[in-house]
Structure formats: structure tokens, C-alpha cells
Amino acid sequence: MKTLQTYREELHQIPEIGLQEYKTHDYLVKELSALGYQPKTIYKTGVYVYIDYNKKDTIMFRSDIDALRIKEQNEVPYKSRHDGFMHACGHDGHMAMLLGFAKELKHLKNANRNVLLVFQPAEEYPGGAKEIVNSGLLKTYRVSEVYGIHLFPNFEQGTINTKAGPLMGNISLLDVEVHGKSAHAAMKNEGVDALYAASLFYTRLKETLQKRLGKEPHVATFGQMSSGSAINIISNYTLLKGTIRSLEEKTYQLIKETILEIANAIEKETQAKIDVHINFLYPALQNDETLFNNAKKVLNNFSFQELKEPFLVSEDFSYYQKEVPGVFFLLGTKNEAKGYTYLLHNDRFNFDPSVLQTGVDLYLSLIKSY
């Protein structure tokens, strides 16, 4: 039987982006079948296993399976064999933990809940959790609660970190297109400067949100900007690409209203035309307080840290929590002695595979705690 480390290293070598996880799907089906299960496919490349203990309700455990468009820089024997793609967010570890948990469940003759194991595609983008919820899977198997784990290099290896209530923020993609009019730089009055209008828009957005939201956790920022065709020509088009994040729905709505308000004002001031495109992706991740308090009885047997503040990173696990109560855990992987200090989405992210057993033990403790 394969070890957690073997699962992880084999999966690490075949990273695939969302809804293209074909090799990953086949690997999961093969390994789950070898354990004696009858895995089924869901949402193109996802896989699930239902274990019936003849109980009324079901506990669901979820792992994401997709990778990122990142060229790996780690020189390890199990380095990515898909050039330009990498499991830089730890999803290979998440799959290994759920496979290890599936192996342990073969020895569990009875439980107080049925078990649903879901290997979900497209967490990074475009969000497979929503599609799995919409498929009716959770209703079909009477799922009453859901759990998930994410490896997290911000915390020390082996620690389990979480809190009740908001843990992660919602996320939207934000594109702002500014249309101007080209002219020679020496005759600027004949043109409409899209770059200038875009700069005014971004500056004013930052200033206004700071006044309106203060210390309220939020993000409304642009990471990319493209504009212009030559150094001596007034830019007739500028594109800003960024993200909106918040913990509260009212904050998100205020940010949207502010963006549209400022866009309208800058249009009048500069004569540029501004088109705003907001694509909502994932809601905020909210841990159920009752389930969290129940889980604390288990967590006290681990190196557990109850967090005081949430993060503005996002996770589509939140869609499951919109359907049923759930708790999401952050499993620390930081190990300075071994050099495992690179953060998620870094081309050198890595971790000690021994930490995966902690995740399996947590899942087992949760299923046995009822």
C-alpha cells in the first residue's frame, strides 16, 4: 500500500489546471479503486466516494485537486513533469491526506455518520465547489456538515489553525477599461488621455475607500496596468486588472458603489469613457460556530491555535458552507530548519510530507468524535 509521501510525490509530478486535471482524475480513480472503493466522476474531472454506514446523515470531507500556471524551481526528485505548471498551493498534499483518510476508513467498521469524500476540481479558477453544490450531490447523500484542510506555510509545521465565524474573504475580479482619444503628445489638447484618467481613478478610489472604510478589512487593488502605443502619443486605451475582497457583504457592496461612483465622476472630469467589469467568484468563508465548538474538543489533542483575525485570501470551500455548516482548517507547514518557508503560490513552495499524517489524524478524530 502506498504511503502519504508516495501519494503526494506522485501527484506533485502531474500538476494540471482547473477542469484539465485528466491525469489527476485517472490517478485518483486508480488509487481509490485499489483501496476497494467504487469512485465516481463529478463535474468533468472531479472524483467522489460515498461510504454508507446506514446512517441518516453524512459528513463530507473535501480536497481540491488543481494546480497553478507556475514553473517550479525546486530541484527535487519528484519535481513537476508538466513544464510551466506546479502544485504551488499544496493541493497535492490535500489529495494525499484524503487518500490516506480513505485508506484508514477501510478499517472503520461503523460510524455515526455516512462519509462522502470529494476530490474537487478547479478551486483556483473558475470554482468547482459551486458546480458540485449545484449538481445536487450534497442533497443526494444528505450531507449535514463539511470539513476541509489547507496546508498553510504562514504557521509552524504541524499546527492546526482556525476560528469560528469569518476565516477568509470573498473575492471578485475587477477589470476597468478606460477609453480615450489618441493625439500627439505635443498636441495633448486634441486628445483624451486614458492613462491619466486611469491614474486619477485608481488614486481617488484608494483615497475614498480609506475614508469610507478605515480599518474595515478590504482589498480593492490593481496588480496589472496596460496602456499606450508609443512614448509620444496620448494613450487612447488603458486597462486596469485587479481584485476586490472583503469579509462582509455590506463592505463588498460599498466598494462596488464607490467604484461606479468614481468612474462616473472621472468620466465627467476627463471626457474619457470608463467601463467597469466586476466578476464575483467566491463568497466569504464562514466557519460554523457550533461545529467549531464541537471540533475544539478534538483540536485540543493537537497543536491547535485559535485565530483572532481572518485572512483576505479566498477559498471556494465557502460555497459548501452556504449549503451546509462546515469548518475549514489551516495546517501549518513552516519549517525554517528544513527551508520550508516559501509562501503559497511561490515557485519554491514545498513542505515536509510528515505533516500530512496530522491532517489524516484530524479527519479520523472528527469522524470518531460523534
Side-chain angles (χ1 to χ4, degrees):
M1 299 290 271
K2 292 183 178 179
T3 65
L4 292 171
Q5 181 172 347
T6 301
Y7 285 143
R8 186 266 167 141
E9 291 184 358
E10 290 179 346
L11 285 161
H12 189 83
Q13 295 176 64
I14 54 170
E16 299 163 299
I17 59 171
L19 302 182
Q20 296 181 31
E21 309 100 328
Y22 302 111
K23 290 182 181 179
T24 304
H25 168 276
D26 292 348
Y27 180 94
L28 292 169
V29 168
K30 178 183 176 183
E31 296 304 327
L32 289 165
S33 298
L35 291 173
Y37 294 109
Q38 295 179 316
K40 296 181 180 179
T41 298
I42 188 168
Y43 190 37
K44 299 182 180 180
T45 50
V47 178
Y48 72 91
V49 165
Y50 175 65
I51 306 170
D52 190 354
Y53 290 106
N54 295 311
K55 297 301 188 294
K56 179 182 177 182
D57 296 320
T58 299
I59 297 183
M60 175 177 152
F61 298 87
R62 172 270 207 168
S63 166
D64 32 21
I65 72 173
D66 55 326
L68 294 159
R69 291 184 183 274
I70 292 177
K71 184 177 178 62
E72 182 167 13
Q73 299 302 318
N74 291 316
E75 293 301 330
V76 292
Y78 50 90
K79 184 176 181 178
S80 168
R81 293 191 277 108
H82 294 173
D83 190 42
F85 300 89
M86 178 187 174
H87 272 297
C89 204
H91 296 186
D92 51 342
H94 303 170
M95 288 184 280
M97 286 187 288
L98 207 57
L99 286 170
F101 182 46
K103 185 193 299 185
E104 295 294 336
L105 288 175
K106 296 302 293 185
H107 307 296
L108 187 65
K109 301 303 180 184
N110 194 23
N112 291 330
R113 301 286 196 282
N114 308 313
V115 175
L116 182 65
L117 308 178
V118 175
F119 295 83
Q120 175 214 306
E123 185 277 324
E124 297 291 347
Y125 186 82
K130 183 179 181 180
E131 297 301 325
I132 288 178
V133 169
N134 290 342
S135 76
L137 183 74
L138 279 68
K139 291 181 179 177
T140 298
Y141 290 106
R142 305 180 305 280
V143 173
S144 59
E145 54 202 83
V146 59
Y147 297 96
I149 295 174
H150 203 300
L151 298 178
F152 218 67
N154 302 64
F155 301 119
E156 292 299 318
Q157 179 178 313
T159 61
I160 296 173
N161 310 265
T162 193
K163 63 183 289 293
L167 180 66
M168 294 183 177
N170 59 42
I171 178 174
S172 295
L173 302 182
L174 173 62
D175 287 359
V176 175
E177 294 183 284
V178 183
H179 303 270
K181 179 182 176 183
S182 293
H184 194 285
M187 302 176 182
K188 61 181 181 180
N189 291 336
E190 296 183 10
V192 176
D193 193 338
L195 179 54
Y196 173 66
S199 301
L200 272 182
F201 170 84
Y202 192 18
T203 301
R204 194 166 301 173
L205 177 63
K206 285 291 190 182
E207 292 172 347
T208 305
L209 288 177
Q210 181 60 39
K211 291 177 182 177
R212 293 181 177 179
L213 291 174
K215 294 182 179 180
E216 176 73 22
H218 73 279
V219 169
T221 194
F222 297 99
Q224 290 183 321
M225 180 180 190
S226 56
S227 184
S229 58
I231 62 171
N232 61 345
I233 297 177
I234 298 295
S235 172
N236 71 338
Y237 178 78
T238 299
L239 173 63
L240 298 170
K241 296 180 74 67
T243 181
I244 301 171
R245 298 167 188 256
S246 69
L247 297 172
E248 303 290 342
E249 175 66 20
K250 63 180 181 180
T251 306
Y252 170 66
Q253 293 299 331
L254 177 59
I255 293 171
K256 281 179 60 177
E257 292 168 7
T258 302
I259 288 171
L260 296 174
E261 173 190 319
I262 293 174
N264 185 55
I266 299 298
E267 281 186 328
K268 293 177 179 177
E269 291 177 31
T270 65
Q271 308 309 308
K273 184 178 183 303
I274 301 178
D275 294 325
V276 176
H277 309 280
I278 299 174
N279 178 20
F280 181 83
L281 290 182
Y282 313 152
L285 192 154
Q286 302 267 348
N287 282 337
D288 182 80
E289 186 168 356
T290 299
L291 287 188
F292 170 76
N293 288 331
N294 289 337
K296 282 180 72 173
K297 302 169 187 175
V298 166
L299 292 171
N300 289 329
N301 297 322
F302 294 83
S303 179
F304 167 58
Q305 174 179 315
E306 185 169 352
L307 300 176
K308 291 182 169 44
E309 301 293 334
F311 296 88
L312 281 171
V313 295
S314 60
E315 239 287 354
D316 77 343
F317 185 86
S318 55
Y319 275 111
Y320 300 121
Q321 294 174 313
K322 288 283 188 180
E323 188 78 2
V324 296
V327 177
F328 199 64
F329 306 94
L330 305 177
L331 176 54
T333 63
K334 182 179 180 181
N335 187 325
E336 292 188 0
K338 294 187 176 182
Y340 298 136
T341 57
Y342 294 97
L343 300 182
L344 298 176
H345 291 216
N346 187 286
D347 57 14
R348 294 187 183 277
F349 172 71
N350 205 351
F351 58 89
D352 188 325
S354 65
V355 76
L356 301 175
Q357 187 60 52
T358 302
V360 175
D361 291 342
L362 174 56
Y363 282 154
L364 282 169
S365 296
L366 287 169
I367 195 67
K368 292 178 179 180
S369 66
Y370 293 94

